[in-house]
Amino acid sequence: MVSIIIPAYNVAPYIGETLDSVFAQTFADYEVIVINDGSPDTEDLERALARFIDRINYLKQENRGASVARNTGLHAARGQFIAFLDADDVWLPNSLD
């Protein structure tokens, strides 16, 4: 399994498209971990995440930066492999193949 770790800070307008690209992957053995790094747009972020909430592991922490958020995701990860994805980026459908 691949653990996809996505730190999120002030990315509410983009996170939906990012997660759509993850869930469009042709490779299917993965988990998605989104870490809210104390984002000032938490309400909007959580609204954007609502349609994915049963398919992601959503974690919250106070703002400590992207590297700490990635480490938080690593601690929660269960996969044999790790993939980092920025919350304002998208993948092509075969990115995990």
Side-chain angles (χ1 to χ4, degrees), residues 42-78:
T42 292
E43 280 187 40
D44 293 334
L45 176 64
E46 290 179 349
R47 262 193 298 279
L49 293 175
R51 66 185 172 107
F52 304 101
I53 205 67
D54 60 343
R55 296 168 40 178
I56 65 173
N57 181 358
Y58 176 60
L59 307 173
K60 291 170 76 171
Q61 66 182 30
E62 60 184 64
N63 180 250
R64 296 187 292 170
S67 60
V68 175
R70 286 184 184 97
N71 285 333
T72 298
L74 283 171
H75 289 294
R78 298 175 299 149

Side-chain angles (χ1 to χ4, degrees), residues 10-64:
N10 221 18
V11 292
Y14 316 108
I15 193 76
E17 187 176 359
T18 298
L19 290 171
D20 283 337
S21 79
V22 169
F23 292 118
Q25 291 301 299
T26 56
F27 182 86
D29 191 15
Y30 59 82
E31 66 174 344
V32 179
I33 304 167
V34 176
I35 304 94
N36 177 343
D37 187 38
S39 186
D41 69 347
T42 292
E43 280 187 40
D44 293 334
L45 176 64
E46 290 179 349
R47 262 193 298 279
L49 293 175
R51 66 185 172 107
F52 304 101
I53 205 67
D54 60 343
R55 296 168 40 178
I56 65 173
N57 181 358
Y58 176 60
L59 307 173
K60 291 170 76 171
Q61 66 182 30
E62 60 184 64
N63 180 250
R64 296 187 292 170

Side-chain angles (χ1 to χ4, degrees), residues 4-5 20 48 51-52 81 88 93:
I4 302 167
I5 298 173
D20 283 337
R51 66 185 172 107
F52 304 101
F81 301 100
D88 61 351

